[in-house]
Amino acid sequence: MAFQKAVKGTVLIGGGAIATVFGLSQFSQYRNKHGTFVNVQAAEAVTVPIKRDFPTREEQILALQTTREFDVLVIGGGATGCGCALDAVTRGLKTALLERDDFSSGTSSRSTKLIHGGVRYLQKAIMKLDFEQYRMVKEALQERANLLEIAPHLSAPLPIMLPVYKWWQLPYYWVGIKLYDLVAGSQCLKSSYVLSKSRALELFPMLRKDKLVGAIVYYDGQHNDARMNLAIALTAARYGAATANYAEVLRLLKTTDPGSGKERVCGARCRDVLTGQEFDVKAKCVINATGPFTDSVRKMDDQEVPNICQPSAGVHIVMPGYYSPDNMGLLDPATSDGRVIFFLPWEKMTIAGTTDSPTDVTPHPIPTEEDINFILNEVRNYLSVDVEVRRGDVLAAWSGIRPLVTDPNSKDTQSISRNHVVTVSDSGLVTIAGGKWTTYRAMAQDTIDAAIQAHDLNAGSSKTIGLQLQGAEDWSPTLYIRLVQDYGLESEVAQHLASTYGDKAFEVAKIAQVTGRRWPIVGKRLVSEFPYIEAEVIYGVKEYARTAVDMISRRTRLAFLNVQAAEEALPRIVDIMGKELNWSEQKKKEELEAAKKFLYYEMGYKVKSDQLTDSSEITLVPSDIERYKKRFHMFDKDKKGFITILDVQRVLESISVQIDEKTLHDILNEVDLNKNGQVELIEFLQLMSAIQKGHVSGSRLAVLMKTAEENLGQRVVIPVDRSGGGL
């Protein structure tokens, strides 16, 4: 009864606000109706021929070196930069793109994986009567619909639950979410709805029960951000853009305009990072789309120009999939410090984030223990007390830098607008700054429009609305079944390939190796618990992957899902890439070390490994210490005070368990803090203490020793008279 009253009250309270926004929305839709109608078929108006495949990187570098002059040169291979290249080339402009690292190596691969309009921006728009904020949400929701349409294999709608713990919040949140639906208009993914407490717990059983009133569910989009970015880059390449990763801009080239006498930017001096070769790329227009590094490129043009970007760090963590339902996210709208936290299923794992704090610009942002614990504490506030949220369950963590546009009146990064800004310098450098992942296409369109106007380029209107990205053309939700039937792939692997490569999944399946088993027929996995297969490494090289880091973080997403699994897969990945790229043994060793360093610092391996150090405090009670000592001495038969591989092998053989020596070495090495080839009693007690505190989880040695103890304990001597024998 109380729930029904709350819902009725919600309708009355929200009526006026909905009517207001409805009028605003109708006005905006009326204003944009004609333009939208004209652009619905924009993709069909593309006259530039698309190639069946994209050129090799070597061919792209050659095109950059030999083309006399491009119409447009884009600096930056993130979502916005690749979007600019795609927009320009489909208008018929001769286009080049340079990225000093890998496509999506920065912010564009480190997002919350959402395609969204921004619920909290709509709240600010209404509360502050800010039409600009409203317009930004409206634009983002339109772009959300387009992105889901042009890359259905990489994106999908996701229901997100907003739990309510106070009765008065129910009408407040309901009105806000309904306004979100209303602003989306005909492009609303699915209508939001209210849930009772029992129904909310049925859909999200991990949710905290006490004081829960009900919940509201709304829909946004979710995608594989790095793969989406790569799809944009590959599509641009297929339309004829000369795109190259690992091509660093050293300085901007300038010429003097004979008419005005002013200096004008006319290209860039760049360097192939992989070979060290330097060359010039000439262009009528140069576009700066470098995200957090926007100001550094602007200063190449003019040293005195003031900064326009305020970088903000956003940290995310990944936890096991059992922390969330398979197809339901969670939104914490009011954290302890006012930030919003999302808790979402992603790639069969659970992603939680993000933080929002000022930071310095760096190409290698590192997640901090403070940020990880902040997210964990917020997660604990919303999950049931039955679910122990353990620090040891953080499988990966990363930090991304948002390139926010500075508002001189703001006191912190939370109040900085996510709006984008396009500027043209006196020398003609076009800069696109700010914005968000979801609106990359609109940002690119605005940028190319500005470039055409500033440089008098001969091109028509944007053609990217409805333009399908790499892999989307012949994709269908049942495509994976054909992969299973035609090639003998595991169903899980086939689903992964279809949702990663779209209709190009067949090209990966064709080069998959025979397993030699009855089933699956083809497709050797890189690691057992993830559906990534060795053939993806070969195909990844074709997709311009040139380092082991490219492969574990952006062609596959292993590094973002589980750093230990990524490290385990590295040797095989390096071997395959080495064969494809003709690496020497020294080069393979360097790649392996560089990738391990990347995992250690940028993907959270360091903060994970720091949970167990040689200075870890032992907080076990005396009874536990005695129990663990007894377990330890079952392996240390000689009472040496430490155990070695031989000790473990001897016990395992006695219970008929076979583990190869290399695996045993790895298992002991996880706990061998002083790296002397043996696990001492103090190290074992530190491990057990860390496990009890939740700082460490999934220790193979701990599980192995416990299993051995239990199996040995079950072995009792059967009396002769009951053994069925003896005379």
Side-chain angles (χ1 to χ4, degrees), residues 233-541:
L234 296 177
T235 307
R238 288 181 62 197
Y239 274 107
T243 59
N245 56 352
Y246 295 103
E248 180 184 14
V249 171
L250 302 175
R251 65 179 183 274
L252 297 178
L253 302 177
K254 291 189 176 183
T255 186
T256 303
D257 188 320
S260 63
K262 290 184 178 180
E263 278 198 328
R264 304 285 290 176
V265 173
C266 63
R269 179 71 174 178
C270 63
R271 181 174 68 93
D272 184 340
V273 175
L274 302 180
T275 64
Q277 184 181 12
E278 294 185 13
F279 53 91
D280 291 341
V281 179
K282 296 289 186 69
K284 296 173 185 175
C285 171
V286 176
I287 295 173
N288 172 18
T290 53
F293 302 94
T294 293
D295 288 319
S296 63
V297 175
R298 291 173 74 239
K299 289 183 186 299
M300 287 183 184
D301 176 37
D302 179 3
Q303 282 289 336
E304 304 303 317
V305 73
N307 289 348
I308 63 170
C309 276
Q310 172 60 61
S312 166
V315 171
H316 295 81
I317 63 174
V318 166
M319 305 173 77
Y322 55 70
Y323 274 98
S324 65
D326 290 339
N327 193 37
M328 180 68 75
L330 184 75
L331 168 65
D332 177 358
T335 62
S336 56
D337 69 350
R339 295 182 283 196
V340 171
I341 289 286
F342 285 99
F343 192 63
L344 311 166
W346 183 66
E347 299 287 321
K348 297 187 178 180
M349 308 297 275
T350 301
I351 183 172
T354 175
T355 60
D356 190 358
S357 53
T359 186
D360 294 325
V361 176
T362 170
H364 305 293
I366 298 172
T368 66
E369 186 64 26
E370 180 184 2
D371 284 326
I372 291 171
N373 282 321
F374 167 78
I375 297 171
L376 287 174
N377 288 332
E378 294 303 326
V379 169
R380 289 187 184 101
N381 290 338
Y382 275 84
L383 294 191
S384 169
V385 292
D386 298 332
V387 179
E388 183 185 358
V389 180
R390 304 181 299 182
R391 173 62 183 81
D393 282 338
V394 176
L395 304 174
W398 68 86
S399 176
I401 301 177
R402 301 183 195 88
L404 307 182
V405 180
T406 304
D407 177 356
N409 299 315
S410 68
K411 295 180 180 178
D412 54 53
T413 60
Q414 287 139 282
S415 59
I416 293 176
S417 171
R418 264 61 173 177
N419 279 332
H420 64 270
V421 173
V422 180
T423 63
V424 182
S425 72
D426 291 339
S427 62
L429 176 68
V430 179
T431 295
I432 170 68
K436 54 194 287 186
W437 222 121
T438 306
T439 59
Y440 85 91
R441 193 212 62 83
M443 293 164 64
Q445 178 179 325
D446 291 348
T447 305
I448 302 303
D449 284 346
I452 290 171
Q453 184 176 3
H455 293 271
D456 196 26
L457 302 176
N458 184 21
S461 59
S462 177
K463 307 291 193 301
T464 52
I465 291 180
L467 183 72
Q468 290 189 311
L469 299 181
Q470 170 89 348
E473 187 176 354
D474 294 320
W475 177 86
S476 73
T478 57
L479 181 144
Y480 79 94
I481 297 175
R482 289 169 54 200
L483 290 169
V484 175
Q485 294 176 338
D486 294 354
Y487 293 94
L489 288 160
E490 291 176 85
S491 182
E492 184 187 10
V493 170
Q495 287 176 323
H496 154 67
L497 293 181
S499 64
T500 301
Y501 304 93
D503 60 16
K504 302 299 179 185
F506 294 99
E507 295 184 16
V508 182
K510 285 175 186 175
I511 57 176
Q513 286 184 313
V514 175
T515 63
R517 299 183 309 202
R518 183 186 63 81
W519 191 261
I521 298 172
V522 301
K524 291 184 178 180
R525 294 196 183 206
L526 288 167
V527 281
S528 59
E529 69 266 42
F530 290 96
Y532 300 109
I533 59 174
E534 292 183 357
E536 291 182 77
V537 182
I538 299 172
Y539 194 77
V541 171

Side-chain angles (χ1 to χ4, degrees), residues 149-200:
E149 178 188 345
I150 65 176
H153 57 301
L154 292 169
S155 58
L158 176 72
I160 300 175
M161 183 181 290
L162 199 163
V164 180
Y165 288 93
K166 295 178 181 177
W167 282 108
W168 67 265
Q169 290 179 332
L170 196 62
Y172 176 75
Y173 287 142
W174 184 86
V175 169
I177 295 300
K178 277 300 172 187
L179 294 178
Y180 193 59
D181 289 351
L182 191 61
V183 172
S186 61
Q187 294 169 327
C188 177
L189 300 180
K190 289 184 182 180
S191 184
S192 58
Y193 53 91
V194 179
L195 292 174
S196 65
K197 175 180 179 179
S198 59
R199 182 65 177 145

Side-chain angles (χ1 to χ4, degrees), residues 49-297:
I50 185 169
K51 301 173 184 175
R52 184 180 177 277
D53 216 337
F54 43 87
T56 65
R57 183 179 181 277
E58 290 69 30
E59 290 170 339
Q60 296 284 44
I61 291 290
L62 184 62
L64 289 168
Q65 292 173 332
T66 58
T67 301
R68 184 171 175 273
E69 185 181 51
F70 289 95
D71 293 317
V72 172
L73 168 61
V74 182
I75 305 174
T80 305
C82 291
C84 287
L86 180 58
D87 191 288
V89 75
T90 50
R91 297 196 202 197
L93 295 170
K94 193 178 291 185
T95 305
L97 181 143
L98 303 172
E99 163 57 47
R100 72 173 177 184
D101 204 306
D102 184 30
F103 302 115
S104 192
S105 58
T107 307
S108 294
S109 64
R110 304 174 190 233
S111 72
T112 314
K113 322 303 177 194
L114 285 178
I115 311 170
H116 64 123
V119 175
R120 65 181 178 132
Y121 304 137
L122 181 60
Q123 179 191 29
K124 289 181 180 180
I126 295 168
M127 302 296 281
K128 298 179 181 179
L129 298 177
D130 187 338
F131 183 74
E132 277 302 303
Q133 289 271 11
Y134 167 80
R135 188 184 62 80
M136 185 185 71
V137 175
K138 180 73 176 173
E139 178 184 64
L141 290 172
Q142 290 171 341
E143 293 301 322
R144 179 187 71 178
N146 183 66
L147 196 48
L148 288 166
E149 178 188 345
I150 65 176
H153 57 301
L154 292 169
S155 58
L158 176 72
I160 300 175
M161 183 181 290
L162 199 163
V164 180
Y165 288 93
K166 295 178 181 177
W167 282 108
W168 67 265
Q169 290 179 332
L170 196 62
Y172 176 75
Y173 287 142
W174 184 86
V175 169
I177 295 300
K178 277 300 172 187
L179 294 178
Y180 193 59
D181 289 351
L182 191 61
V183 172
S186 61
Q187 294 169 327
C188 177
L189 300 180
K190 289 184 182 180
S191 184
S192 58
Y193 53 91
V194 179
L195 292 174
S196 65
K197 175 180 179 179
S198 59
R199 182 65 177 145
L201 291 172
E202 184 181 335
L203 292 175
F204 207 119
M206 305 84 175
L207 208 56
R208 181 160 59 88
K209 303 177 180 68
D210 56 307
K211 297 182 181 180
L212 182 67
V213 172
I216 299 166
V217 175
Y218 74 98
Y219 286 79
D220 257 327
Q222 189 179 49
H223 69 153
N224 186 334
D225 53 3
R227 293 294 317 184
M228 185 74 81
N229 193 154
L230 184 63
I232 300 166
L234 296 177
T235 307
R238 288 181 62 197
Y239 274 107
T243 59
N245 56 352
Y246 295 103
E248 180 184 14
V249 171
L250 302 175
R251 65 179 183 274
L252 297 178
L253 302 177
K254 291 189 176 183
T255 186
T256 303
D257 188 320
S260 63
K262 290 184 178 180
E263 278 198 328
R264 304 285 290 176
V265 173
C266 63
R269 179 71 174 178
C270 63
R271 181 174 68 93
D272 184 340
V273 175
L274 302 180
T275 64
Q277 184 181 12
E278 294 185 13
F279 53 91
D280 291 341
V281 179
K282 296 289 186 69
K284 296 173 185 175
C285 171
V286 176
I287 295 173
N288 172 18
T290 53
F293 302 94
T294 293
D295 288 319
S296 63
V297 175

Side-chain angles (χ1 to χ4, degrees), residues 649-657 712 715:
Q649 280 178 326
R650 184 180 64 234
V651 174
L652 293 181
E653 285 172 5
S654 70
I655 59 173
S656 303
V657 174
L712 288 170
R715 293 192 172 191

